[in-house]
Amino acid sequence: MLSAKKKDEVKAIFFSEFHPQAGPIVSYQVPDNFISRDLFDVVSVYVIPKPSLYGKIITVNVLGHGMVGCPSSISNKKYERNALIFNVVFVFDSKCDTQPYEAIVKKLCKYFTDAEVESSFLSNETSRARIPDILSDIKDGLNDHGGACVTLDDTHTIYLTTLHHLADPPAVADHHVPIFCNSSDDVQGYSWDLMVQQVLPHIDGFSHVACIAAKANVDITLVRLCVQHLVYFGVVKLIPIFQYSNVYLPTPRLGTILSDSALQEKCRKFMTKPGDPELAISAVFTAYAGLGPGVTVRDLCCRHDMTQHHIDERYLIQFGVLHGLLRRLHKYPTLLAEGDNHEPWMIRLMTGRHCEDEICCVTGYSQPELDALLEEDPHIAVCWK
């Protein structure tokens, strides 16, 4: 998460300032000659703008380049025009997401401002000669490691870190099942807050959120927030409840398990029990290919001898859903006409928008009980999707 994405790498950094006679100029840049005179003439009004924009983040897309800067001004009578006006501008490809770098640019300009106020770093010819090397170290550090630590002088050191924006996590429902993206051992060493620590031991890839809340003796609202937090940081993913009556469909990605050696290794690691022989990927593929409309997991187990191939059907389904090889086909009950025998929860939940898993979780019905109720009522239709 903290490492810079190659596609969003910093192409160049340049230091610009307002020269008392020449006006806006590029004093230093890395790599050399990346910003041409013609290009700078186009963007100079945004690099050294009007005073009302000082201290503001300015983003410009022009001629295939995305630029992010934060124009700064230091007022003092010792300067020729009573102010030192400068900007440090990061340059990217125009299609890059520059948002993660905005805070970095603003922070870097603040570092330079402090160094100038306290030790005249920018106005002293000897110290400012180090600017190209400093910009080069920052560029390389951000691109290679997602961060940079560069010494300005005896009293100032620059610390910068890239934090890429993550998409908002999906809403977590009571019937969702969290499953670790990697081994649960990989997350035990992190300094999670007490609530997360209380929930983590109950995440097994089979227990849904409501079940976890009961096991952990934690309010279900807090468990939902906790799981959402883990989803946001890529620790867990959400999958449907596993039941032998479930129906799954192979996705177009299924074929990748035959050609992707890394995925095959993950599959063996995920599904092979200690002491069992190496898992045959062909057997896994055959099992996945046997799923489809009208075929439940129970049907699959009857048609294929899972024990012969040392396959646990629960982990088979888990792995397929987790890696996008399978998708669950859900049942959505729809009440076509309300009657006196229909309870309020049926009117509220049987709208075609709530799957059977959710309804069972809310009402406490088991799936066989709910299925029996649906079969007996001619006013309820079931949509599979």
Side-chain angles (χ1 to χ4, degrees), residues 116 177 239 282 302 316 364:
E116 170 62 20
V177 177
I239 62 175
S282 59
C302 292
L316 175 80

Side-chain angles (χ1 to χ4, degrees), residues 292-306:
V295 180
T296 66
V297 178
R298 185 180 294 107
D299 296 333
L300 181 72
C301 293
C302 292
R303 298 174 185 177
H304 298 268
D305 188 355
M306 298 294 181

